[in-house]
Amino acid sequence: KNEVEQSPQNLTAQEGEFITINCSYSVGISALHWLQQHPGGGIVSLFMLSSGKKKHGRLIATINIQEKHSSLHITASHPRDSAVYICAVINMDSNYQLIWGAGTKLIIKP
Amino acid sequence: EPEVTQTPSHQVTQMGQEVILRCVPISNHLYFYWYRQILGQKVEFLVSFYNNEISEKSEIFDDQFSVERPDGSNFTLKIRSTKLEDSAMYFCASSRGYYNEQFFGPGTRLTVL
């Protein structure tokens, strides 16, 4: 079983739609990253959070430590949001290694 | 804004050759990392480095891999004798502390022929 599971694997939506990507994990963590990977391959860190909620522009990330679950929301989605969104956790059980989810490929159609 | 840089952006090499991938972490960061992403697969941790020594490594990071901080700014990943299966995107990252946010370089695409 993967230690970090993301859903959905693929998501296609129309411009303007509210997007939710989910991440569940099975290990003890000190924090969780949401990252964005564009088709060119580069990885950009969007958020790191260990509790509650963070907001940056149209992006909102929430985490529920008790339920071992995090969500990334995008409001008023735009075609430039099309990318792979990756959840990665800092694993307390394995010397604080970053363990990566498989990513969610998001396509926003105009 | 400070950023992590990596060179080269693309490296093509013959099987069996040695390659060195270079990274310049953010200057006040103390922890450095290498990750690998084989095409179509998820990112995998290779190694973390602090205080001039490896602090953690994965089972992927076998004897053919080594890391070094040869001067105050560069952080390198060496693959001694490349195999076809080493073809991947290699990302360097750095962070202020072990629990802090990691910042990623743009990656080096390694192609082994």
Side-chain angles (χ1 to χ4, degrees), chain B residues 25-41:
Chain B
I26 294 172
S27 62
N28 63 349
H29 285 187
L30 300 177
Y31 291 81
F32 315 114
Y33 313 85
W34 283 102
Y35 296 92
R36 176 181 86 173
Q37 186 178 33
I38 294 170
L39 188 64
Q41 297 186 21

Side-chain angles (χ1 to χ4, degrees), chain A residues 3-110:
Chain A
E3 292 155 313
V4 180
E5 299 266 10
Q6 286 187 237
S7 63
Q9 280 187 303
N10 295 282
L11 178 57
T12 301
Q14 289 298 130
E15 183 173 355
E17 285 189 40
F18 181 80
I19 303 299
T20 296
I21 299 169
N22 295 299
C23 174
S24 296
Y25 53 91
S26 58
V27 295
I29 71 166
S30 60
L32 180 147
H33 277 267
W34 279 104
L35 308 115
Q36 181 190 57
Q37 186 172 32
H38 276 283
I43 293 175
V44 175
S45 178
L46 300 173
F47 295 102
M48 190 176 87
L49 66 166
S50 53
S51 65
K53 178 178 171 178
K54 284 192 175 180
K55 185 175 190 293
H56 185 236
R58 294 180 295 105
L59 300 177
I60 303 165
T62 63
I63 188 167
N64 185 319
I65 296 291
Q66 286 74 32
E67 294 185 6
K68 296 193 170 185
H69 181 268
S70 176
S71 293
L72 177 69
H73 305 285
I74 306 175
T75 61
S77 58
H78 190 275
R80 66 173 175 267
D81 297 326
S82 298
V84 175
Y85 291 84
I86 306 172
C87 168
V89 301
I90 301 176
N91 181 16
M92 283 166 45
D93 301 330
S94 184
N95 213 12
Y96 300 91
Q97 278 186 39
L98 200 58
I99 299 180
W100 298 70
T104 294
K105 184 174 182 180
L106 174 67
I107 297 173
I108 304 294
K109 293 185 174 179

Side-chain angles (χ1 to χ4, degrees), chain B:
Chain B
E1 188 173 317
E3 57 183 19
V4 178
T5 60
Q6 289 185 243
T7 54
S9 56
H10 191 188
Q11 172 99 40
V12 181
T13 191
Q14 295 289 325
M15 192 168 61
Q17 293 296 304
E18 175 183 284
V19 294
I20 297 176
L21 310 183
R22 290 184 167 78
C23 169
V24 180
I26 294 172
S27 62
N28 63 349
H29 285 187
L30 300 177
Y31 291 81
F32 315 114
Y33 313 85
W34 283 102
Y35 296 92
R36 176 181 86 173
Q37 186 178 33
I38 294 170
L39 188 64
Q41 297 186 21
K42 64 181 181 180
V43 177
E44 300 170 291
F45 169 78
L46 290 177
V47 66
S48 59
F49 191 87
Y50 168 72
N51 200 26
N52 279 321
E53 59 183 30
I54 291 172
S55 48
E56 186 72 22
K57 61 182 181 179
S58 72
E59 57 200 27
I60 302 168
F61 194 89
D62 61 23
D63 290 345
Q64 70 158 343
F65 290 94
S66 62
V67 288
E68 200 178 31
R69 190 151 160 84
D71 51 43
S73 59
N74 287 284
F75 177 51
T76 61
L77 175 69
K78 183 193 289 186
I79 309 175
R80 287 193 187 83
S81 177
T82 49
K83 307 185 188 102
L84 294 176
E85 54 265 36
D86 294 327
S87 295
M89 192 79 149
Y90 288 81
F91 293 101
C92 172
S94 70
S95 64
R96 275 201 305 270
Y98 222 16
Y99 314 113
N100 294 117
E101 185 174 4
Q102 293 183 26
F103 293 84
F104 291 84
T108 293
R109 185 170 298 284
L110 176 65
T111 303
V112 182
L113 303 176

